Amino acid sequence: MAALTMTTPLSPNLSLNEIAERLQGYDPQALSARHVNDFLAQLVQPVREQETVPLMQAHGRILAQDVVSPISVPPHDNSAMDGYALRGAELLSDRPTPLQVVGTAFAGSAWQGTVNAGECVRIMTGAIMPTGLDTVAPQELVKVDGDRVQIPPGLLQAGDNRRLLGEDLMAGQPALRAGTRIAPAACGLLASLGLPSVPVWRKPKVAYFSTGDEILSLGEAPREGAVYDSNRYTVAGLVQALGCELIDMGVVRDEPAALEQAFVDAAAQADAIITSGGVSVGEADHTKAMMKKLGDVAFWRIAMRPGRPMAVGRIERGERSALLFGLPGNPVAVMVTFAAFVRPALQQLMGWQAPALPLLKAKSTEALRKKPGRTEYQRGIVRTNPAGKLEVSITGNQGSGVLSSMMQANGLIVLGHAQGNVAVGDEVDVMMFDGHL
Ligand code: AMP
Ligand code: MG
């Protein structure tokens, strides 16, 4: 079937200190968004275990090997229309071309007869072009009189309405590259090559738990000062929409023994661990201390809004090593840090050579205050104005706990690190929600 690919050789597991030393201008107390991405790109080792899955179950998976076309698609020159197959060289330019119909070519089998000068073959869409014929006159153009037809002049050129062998995919040529996500078009393409199953990378397992003593699980009675755990549900959706397997560990109490048990359990099964809450500066909780005790972890203050604090690292359990993403607790900050940092890191873990999605440019309908020196992600509503141009406004309340703003928005306005205030009518970048957010 598919030829084995050379995958990029794995770089050795670098410690966080080694990665930090390689990054120019690394400052854990004021890290730019770009530094975070660069750091994670060096930290994450892709899951390099292959499995073969039936094509019907391959949707959303990441191809583990290049696929070389075993056949050409289409396998023969064939007709793109119902009509009459003829020799293009016989078409007259100044008067109708008269032709004698000598047979009918149906899709699914080759018509075996021979065609002499002045003759044509009735042909159906998809039927193999009879030997020597290169052009199809669509039936609606043709005057038919019994077994004789007339092709009007000036409407057809030699080669029209014929599909060429291999014009879609040629045997022996690469059809899909390793690292491609198998979206519906890729699934169909693999099917067109006759491949019943495909080699894909194993789905990374991602464990998640929420931390914080004020966090209520669903089903618990409301109580003063407590909030329901929404992060568990947003992260579950984000992780699964990306194509990773979720290990849902619920809410973990802010007690050293419970946290230690949770981290140890998670690291024993998962390729990555995501937590929310308890990584802010001055948190009176045990999450940070436990991360530090069990793993190689850096605690960052990122020059961004929302979502300043974040912990990143690795927890080793025997042979296994799990990535760790300690996200802030605020519900919008969780989604924004996921979109900006965790998603690209998980894509790398999946082996997905994801093409960078272009940001949209839209004119801001309002003035936005922005301090240079940090990246801001504002929830935005992009629409087409009456002049047909894209414009964007921000949702009312930009509080980092206001999850309903993520519902009103259809994208995040990304105000870059160096950017200052935005005036009405200025163009801004927008990361559109693409169904994964
Ligand atoms: P923290 O990062 O722990 O200081 O939390 C910041 C804010 O996010 C606090 O108001 C928390 O109550 C809230 N928060 C933390 N975890 C969650 C969660 N799992 N679901 C909803 N809100 C949360
Ligand atoms: Mg907390």
Side-chain angles (χ1 to χ4, degrees):
M1 189 177 71
L4 203 85
T5 347
M6 292 301 294
T7 47
T8 38
L10 290 186
S11 52
N13 261 346
L14 297 173
S15 73
L16 297 202
N17 278 336
E18 287 167 326
I19 297 173
E21 276 166 15
R22 293 171 168 214
L23 286 185
Q24 288 233 324
Y26 173 81
D27 174 1
Q29 289 307 305
L31 214 52
S32 70
R34 196 180 53 80
H35 271 116
V36 174
N37 290 130
D38 290 349
F39 193 105
L40 289 171
Q42 298 206 44
L43 179 72
V44 177
Q45 303 285 351
V47 169
R48 280 293 182 241
E49 291 161 44
Q50 286 188 30
E51 56 196 34
T52 300
V53 294
L55 193 54
M56 198 50 98
Q57 271 124 60
H59 181 253
R61 303 297 299 269
I62 311 300
L63 202 57
Q65 298 176 17
D66 286 351
V67 172
V68 170
S69 301
I71 56 171
S72 292
V73 180
H76 313 277
D77 289 0
N78 69 88
S79 177
M81 306 284 276
D82 292 333
Y84 295 86
L86 51 95
R87 287 184 184 80
E90 289 185 358
L91 287 169
L92 304 174
S93 57
D94 53 347
R95 62 204 145 87
T97 307
L99 295 170
Q100 172 83 31
V101 183
V102 295
T104 302
F106 292 98
S109 60
W111 183 75
Q112 299 294 357
T114 41
V115 191
N116 299 310
E119 294 176 349
C120 68
V121 174
R122 172 127 175 79
I123 195 164
M124 307 304 161
T125 305
I128 298 175
M129 292 295 288
T131 310
L133 308 187
D134 59 6
T135 305
V136 174
Q139 64 187 25
E140 51 277 23
L141 288 187
V142 171
K143 268 217 192 85
V144 185
D145 177 12
D147 59 0
R148 300 200 58 82
V149 296
Q150 304 250 9
I151 320 286
L155 299 179
L156 268 189
Q157 289 191 335
D160 278 358
N161 305 312
R162 170 190 53 164
R163 305 167 178 150
L164 293 174
L165 178 150
E167 73 174 23
D168 186 355
L169 299 161
M170 193 61 89
Q173 295 295 308
L176 286 176
R177 292 289 181 195
T180 301
R181 182 170 181 272
I182 305 176
C187 247
L189 190 142
L190 290 162
S192 77
L193 294 175
L195 302 174
S197 61
V198 279
V200 295
W201 297 120
R202 171 173 73 70
K203 281 188 184 188
K205 297 191 181 100
V206 179
Y208 172 80
F209 56 88
S210 302
T211 71
D213 278 345
E214 79 280 30
I215 307 305
L216 289 175
S217 288
L218 301 189
E220 290 185 313
R223 63 165 195 272
E224 194 177 50
V227 293
Y228 281 111
D229 180 6
S230 57
N231 292 343
R232 175 183 183 187
Y233 294 86
T234 42
V235 173
L238 290 164
V239 164
Q240 292 174 109
L242 204 54
C244 297
E245 197 178 307
L246 178 80
I247 302 173
D248 170 24
M249 299 179 65
V251 181
V252 175
R253 290 280 134 247
D254 195 12
E255 296 158 4
L259 285 164
E260 178 156 17
Q261 191 61 52
F263 278 117
V264 167
D265 283 353
Q269 337 165 39
D271 302 291
I273 304 167
I274 302 176
T275 65
S276 82
V279 292
S280 319
V281 190
E283 278 277 338
D285 64 14
H286 304 285
T287 307
K288 281 167 85 173
M290 198 49 69
M291 288 177 177
K292 218 176 255 171
K293 176 180 165 191
L294 297 175
D296 182 15
V297 181
F299 297 91
W300 292 333
R301 283 162 65 96
I302 305 171
M304 71 184 290
R305 218 168 82 147
R308 263 160 102 66
M310 181 169 164
V312 161
R314 256 192 303 248
I315 295 182
E316 319 268 348
R317 294 308 295 168
E319 295 290 277
R320 298 187 59 93
S321 164
L323 286 167
L324 173 68
F325 302 96
L327 305 186
N330 273 310
V332 176
V334 165
M335 297 196 77
V336 169
T337 47
F338 190 98
F341 310 127
V342 181
R343 179 164 66 174
L346 290 182
Q347 286 172 336
Q348 188 171 329
L349 185 67
M350 294 165 78
W352 180 4
Q353 314 258 306
L357 283 178
L359 296 176
L360 207 83
K361 294 250 184 242
K363 281 190 192 304
S364 180
T365 60
E366 49 215 319
L368 303 174
R369 287 210 314 197
K370 164 68 171 62
K371 270 201 254 169
R374 69 183 186 202
T375 305
E376 287 192 16
Y377 301 85
Q378 304 213 5
R379 278 128 279 159
I381 303 166
V382 176
R383 56 173 80 79
T384 308
N385 68 19
K389 299 276 184 256
L390 291 178
E391 62 180 32
V392 62
S393 52
I394 54 172
T395 61
N397 190 336
Q398 293 282 317
S400 62
V402 181
L403 205 46
S404 55
S405 66
M406 287 296 285
M407 290 300 302
Q408 290 160 27
N410 57 9
L412 289 174
I413 301 171
V414 184
L415 302 175
H417 194 79
Q419 185 164 353
N421 290 334
V422 172
V424 174
D426 282 358
E427 270 198 339
V428 291
D429 288 329
V430 185
M431 179 198 289
M432 291 301 287
F433 295 163
D434 57 358
H436 287 170
L437 221 63

